[in-house]
């Protein structure tokens, strides 16, 4: 790397009032999962006359949502993709694009993008730096938090997706409270969900996945390459649920390297016939419409897009009481909350709702109202 590539030029002057739209560059380690979907969804709403936006990512997008603004993927690092050489090369790549694009605001997602943003702010390459916190830092350790505390003076604003995430940020990162704000994740309410009556269900999709009309569906949408999603606890609860409701089917939507182990676990537990692995689905709305119940067994969350999507589709939920989940799920009103890792409590709540269609319908309708009124 040429050391001269990081020599700061004169800082660009902010746009004057009434001049061209401010230039915003969003920088992300990757665009996948819930965060990728919401960033790309929001990008469709930016009016060009209000915000000239562009997204720069270090990995090709894998999210379901298609972007509404230009997306540029940085070139792969190849054989030099090891710490700390990879990070220095990435910093040089990002600095080069920032010099060319001259953004008024750099908005960063995920750890290394945040650190690159802080370095560029310190060098005077960006006048304003905004950062996002999508979770409670479940995969950040002492090294990461030490770097964040040492550079805490650089961001102008840190956006947290829930009050729980904000509390974590204030406890661990040493940021002034006035620079840490909460903006909840949101979702487009969309059309009304399908009426949850058997004869008007998505019969074609049910037939495609070999689900009979009288078989209730408990669905989970999750990333199978993250242990923090706690999918294994869902599987541990399956035998008790299937014993109480023998016709139940467990529908899993997602992908990741843990899938093979989960399939083996289903065989080991004797519930293989009840489990359907539907993989990654580009269009997921019809699958939510097919669910009787949506579940989440995460050990940590920011503000779950899966729960938002479930509630938007009028599906009752059972989720762990972690992170921002209690800010979204109203206990006994839109669903149930259970302690993380408490398999018996989780199974009991699922069985109770499977046996009570009227309560499921009431929870689903209430969840839809919460999303429309507070999370659009």
């Amino acid at each position: 790397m040429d050391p001269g590539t990081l020599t700061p030029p004169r800082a660009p002057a902010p746009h004057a009032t009434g001049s061209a739209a401010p230039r915003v560059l969003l920088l992300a380690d990757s665009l996948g999962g819930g965060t990728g979907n919401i960033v790309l969804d929001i990008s469709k709403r930016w009016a060009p006359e209000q915000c000239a936006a562009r997204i720069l990512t270090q990995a090709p997008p894998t999210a379901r949502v298609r972007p509404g603004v230009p997306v540029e993927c940085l070139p792969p690092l190849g054989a030099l993709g090891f710490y700390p050489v990879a990070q220095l090369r990435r910093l040089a790549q990002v600095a080069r694009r920032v010099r060319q694009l001259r953004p008024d605001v750099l908005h960063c997602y995920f750890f290394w993008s945040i650190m690159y943003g802080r370095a560029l702010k310190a060098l005077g390459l960006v006048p304003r730096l905004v950062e996002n916190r999508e979770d409670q830092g479940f995969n950040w350790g002492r090294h990461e938090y030490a770097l964040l505390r040492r550079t805490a003076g650089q961001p102008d604003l840190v956006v947290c997706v829930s009050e729980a995430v904000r509390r974590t940020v204030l406890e661990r990162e040493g940021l002034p409270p006035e620079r840490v704000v909460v903006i909840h994740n949101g979702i487009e309410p969309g059309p009304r969900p399908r009426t949850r009556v058997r004869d008007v269900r998505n019969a074609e999709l049910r037939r495609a996945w070999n689900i009979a009309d009288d078989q209730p569906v408990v669905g989970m949408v999750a990333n199978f390459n993250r242990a923090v999603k706690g999918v294994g606890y869902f599987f541990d609860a399956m035998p008790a649920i299937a014993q109480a409701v023998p016709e139940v089917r467990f529908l899993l939507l997602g992908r990741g390297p843990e899938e093979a182990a989960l399939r083996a676990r289903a065989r080991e537990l004797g519930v293989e016939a009840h489990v359907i692995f539907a993989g990654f689905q580009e269009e997921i709305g019809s699958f939510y419409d097919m669910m009787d119940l949506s579940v989440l067994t995460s050990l940590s969350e920011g503000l779950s897009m899966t729960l938002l999507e479930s509630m938007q589709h009028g599906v009752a939920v059972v989720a762990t009481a972690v992170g921002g989940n209690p800010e979204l799920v109203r206990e006994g009103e839109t669903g149930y909350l259970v302690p993380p890792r408490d398999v018996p409590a989780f199974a009991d709540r699922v069985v109770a709702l499977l046996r009570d269609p009227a309560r499921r319908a009431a929870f689903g309708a209430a969840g839809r109202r919460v999303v429309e009124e507070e999370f659009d």
Side-chain angles (χ1 to χ4, degrees), residues 102-125:
R102 301 181 70 244
D104 298 291
V105 178
L106 180 64
H107 191 147
C108 300
Y109 292 79
F110 305 115
F111 179 76
W112 281 111
S113 290
I114 288 168
M115 296 312 301
Y116 302 150
R118 291 188 179 193
L120 298 178
K121 177 73 182 300
L123 290 167
L125 288 173

Side-chain angles (χ1 to χ4, degrees), residues 10-34:
R10 180 182 299 175
H15 288 293
T17 302
S19 65
R23 297 181 293 266
V24 178
L25 179 63
L26 286 89
L27 177 64
D29 292 8
S30 63
L31 289 174

